[in-house]
Amino acid sequence: MLRLASALIASATLLFGLNGCTATGAVAGGVAGHELTHGSTAGTIGGAVAGGIIGHELGK
């Protein structure tokens, strides 16, 4: 879990200049999805996608 969170945070840091809200939402959603689905890959990806969409919409 720690490695996943670290990788997601590092990715978000790199993307922050492009659209920080989207990247931050994707990281938060990915971590939440990972935790809620007990490490399911589909849950992690789904959470990241949902979080990215929400972050993008909130950042407009």
Side-chain angles (χ1 to χ4, degrees), residues 9-45:
I9 291 170
S11 298
T13 302
L14 292 173
L15 293 173
F16 194 78
L18 299 175
N19 191 344
C21 294
T22 302
T24 303
V27 169
V31 171
H34 181 79
E35 288 298 312
L36 291 173
T37 61
H38 305 290
S40 165
T41 302
T44 303
I45 293 170

